[in-house]
Amino acid sequence: MSLPAASSPLTRAVAWLGGTCFVAALATGAWWFGVVLATPAPGSGARPLALLWNVLVFTIFAAHHSVMARTRAKDWIRTVVPPDLERSVYVWVASLLFIALCLSWQRVPGVVYTATGWTVGVLRAVQLAGVVFTLAGARVLDGLELAGIRQVLGPPRPADIRVVWPFTVVRHPIYLGWALLVFGASPMTVDRLVWALVSTLYLVIAMPWEERSLSAAAGPAYSAYCRRVRWRMVPGLY
């Protein structure tokens, strides 16, 4: 059976449904971290097996990102589905894995701290900055392209480097936004702290790999951009 052409209604439907799944995954993550993990789990104790499980499932989710984002994996996917659906396949798998990660999370009791007084305003400002960096970064990158939809709507855009805010502050402002959002949370339950630490550690480890792929796609322009914007994620630190 031959595969549908990239411009076929079926291909477009798959991409749009993948985008819907992407939005559903984001909503699930916001609900899970913002509502479910904000309430301390019942009981007491460290529950090392639960911690180990949570690190394991997050590692599986992160491994998908690292493997499927590589050029060889992308080339293989294009031999299985129409080329314009390569990003959509990535989005489908990532979204479903992220939802599974949230729903399979094993709760761990305990509260690290709860903000009071003026610290409440400080942490809210930190999270607001996280929202700004995330939305501004996504706007520059094109949300439809990130969701795998733009690729089926017309000719692919050439790989280019747009050195505009917030990409003039750090090279990965969406990752900075993520860190501000998760570490600015209060109450900081043990669940939230584990989520914040494991997810941010993954981003720190994955960024050099991601930048190799970006350099291969954009060529010398990306190397020049890296020289211009020194910091990857946190100004003055990393």
Side-chain angles (χ1 to χ4, degrees):
M1 182 178 68
S2 60
L3 292 168
S7 59
S8 72
L10 178 58
T11 298
R12 292 195 296 270
V14 170
W16 278 103
L17 286 173
T20 302
C21 190
F22 178 64
V23 173
L26 293 177
T28 301
W31 164 73
W32 192 256
F33 185 84
V35 178
V36 176
L37 299 188
T39 303
S44 60
R47 297 187 183 175
L49 291 180
L51 288 170
L52 181 62
W53 171 262
N54 294 337
V55 172
L56 175 63
V57 294
F58 215 112
T59 301
I60 293 172
F61 168 73
H64 151 264
H65 274 260
S66 298
V67 172
M68 289 191 70
R70 303 284 73 82
T71 301
R72 289 183 180 178
K74 291 179 178 180
D75 291 341
W76 177 81
I77 293 172
R78 293 188 187 105
T79 67
V80 180
V81 301
D84 287 351
L85 278 183
E86 176 266 318
R87 176 68 186 182
S88 184
V89 170
Y90 176 90
V91 169
W92 269 105
V93 177
S95 300
L96 293 175
L97 280 177
F98 187 72
I99 293 172
L101 162 66
C102 294
L103 299 182
S104 65
W105 188 269
Q106 300 297 301
R107 301 297 309 279
V108 180
V111 177
V112 181
Y113 62 80
T114 299
T116 58
W118 61 270
T119 58
V120 174
V122 171
L123 290 179
R124 286 179 178 172
V126 168
Q127 288 195 306
L128 178 60
V131 171
V132 170
F133 272 102
T134 300
L135 294 180
R139 181 175 179 272
V140 172
L141 293 178
D142 185 353
L144 288 179
E145 186 170 346
L146 290 176
I149 296 172
R150 182 76 66 195
Q151 291 82 342
V152 303
L153 298 180
R157 297 191 311 170
D160 60 353
I161 305 297
R162 296 180 60 191
V163 188
V164 297
W165 195 91
F167 288 86
T168 54
V169 179
V170 291
R171 302 201 293 265
H172 302 273
I174 295 178
Y175 295 166
L176 171 59
W178 172 274
L180 293 173
L181 282 168
V182 295
F183 282 107
S186 177
M188 181 61 77
T189 61
V190 172
D191 279 316
R192 278 180 158 181
L193 182 60
V194 173
W195 182 285
L197 289 172
V198 175
S199 61
T200 304
L201 177 62
Y202 159 68
L203 294 178
V204 170
I205 294 173
M207 266 183 278
W209 293 81
E210 181 179 342
E211 291 191 338
R212 290 191 191 118
S213 296
L214 291 170
S215 181
Y222 192 77
S223 297
Y225 169 65
C226 291
R227 291 192 295 270
R228 176 176 173 179
V229 180
R230 178 181 177 186
W231 305 106
R232 284 185 172 126
M233 181 176 174
V234 182
L237 183 62
Y238 179 70

